[in-house]
């Protein structure tokens, strides 16, 4: 009888450990989007440039493309760390003095209030701050905050992905 109890306990422990290890491997290879921590968007000139950058990221950092999608005028490739995004915009050149080429995306419940608070804090501390809604996306969904506090980078305030309109997915 004791032998049966020990074997069942050992089997249960083995199944539990294998499930734990297997779950860890799955989450490492296919990260879950919860909680939404935002992402880091790096702007490139066009799709060809994105492919070159992605090759470099794969060779030198082990990052690979996990998803590709189009949202309004942007084309985005999400890398396997679920934080790095390589993007290009329709009809826009990469001229640093016109728009920041990089952005830190923050998922917030109310992008309009959040961008106003951030701009106020920057202005209060002596930095310029200019925000705008991204053209081509639904109203009150995504705001870009450009500021003199960054060198060629902006802050993007957007709704969490589950509150965003469905993007057009690419293969």
């Amino acid at each position: 009888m004791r032998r049966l109890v020990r074997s069942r306990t050992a089997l249960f422990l083995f199944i539990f450990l294998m499930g734990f290890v297997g779950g860890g491997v799955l989450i490492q290879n296919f990260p879950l989007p919860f909680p939404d921590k935002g992402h880091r968007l790096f702007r490139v000139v066009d799709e060809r440039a994105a492919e070159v950058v992605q090759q470099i990221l794969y060779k030198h950092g082990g990052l690979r493309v996990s998803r590709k999608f189009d949202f309004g005028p942007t084309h985005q490739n999400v890398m396997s760390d679920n934080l790095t995004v390589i993007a290009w915009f329709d009809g826009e050149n990469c001229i640093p003095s016109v728009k920041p080429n990089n952005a830190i995306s923050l998922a917030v419940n109310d992008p309009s209030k959040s961008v106003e608070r951030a701009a106020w804090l920057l202005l209060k501390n002596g930095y310029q701050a200019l925000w705008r809604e991204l053209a081509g996306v639904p109203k009150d969904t995504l705001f870009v905050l450009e500021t003199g506090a960054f060198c060629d980078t902006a802050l993007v305030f957007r709704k969490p992905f589950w509150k965003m309109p469905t993007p057009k997915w690419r293969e």
Side-chain angles (χ1 to χ4, degrees), residues 18-155:
M18 292 306 294
F20 184 79
V21 170
V25 168
L26 281 174
I27 288 173
Q28 183 66 28
N29 290 325
F30 305 101
L32 297 176
F34 293 100
D36 189 344
K37 296 178 184 176
H39 64 272
R40 308 300 176 251
L41 183 137
F42 298 95
R43 186 173 171 203
V44 294
V45 178
D46 54 26
E47 187 171 12
R48 191 171 52 102
E51 291 171 7
V52 172
V53 169
Q54 289 159 189
Q55 288 175 13
I56 293 168
L57 290 175
Y58 179 73
K59 286 181 180 178
H60 298 284
L63 293 176
R64 64 187 185 288
V65 175
S66 64
R67 293 183 301 283
K68 297 178 180 183
F69 66 91
D70 300 323
F71 188 69
T74 69
H75 308 281
Q76 301 183 31
N77 295 345
V78 181
M79 305 305 286
S80 58
D81 64 353
N82 260 8
L83 289 174
T84 306
V85 176
I86 308 300
W88 61 98
F89 298 81
D90 287 339
E92 292 184 7
N93 295 325
C94 284
I95 303 171
S97 61
V98 175
K99 291 181 183 170
N101 289 330
N102 301 305
I104 298 172
S105 168
L106 303 167
V108 295
N109 286 328
D110 190 344
S112 138
K113 283 185 182 177
S114 296
V115 75
E116 287 178 17
R117 285 188 205 132
W120 177 83
L121 185 60
L122 287 161
L123 291 169
K124 177 182 166 192
N125 285 285
Y127 296 103
Q128 69 182 43
L130 173 67
W131 75 89
R132 61 187 164 77
E133 283 189 89
L134 186 64
V137 299
K139 189 167 175 51
D140 294 328
T141 301
L142 192 144
F143 292 86
V144 177
L145 174 62
E146 298 173 27
T147 173
F150 287 113
C151 295
D152 204 27
T153 299
L155 287 171

Side-chain angles (χ1 to χ4, degrees), residues 9-19:
T9 304
L11 180 62
F12 174 78
L13 187 58
F14 175 76
I15 291 171
F16 176 79
L17 288 174
M18 292 306 294

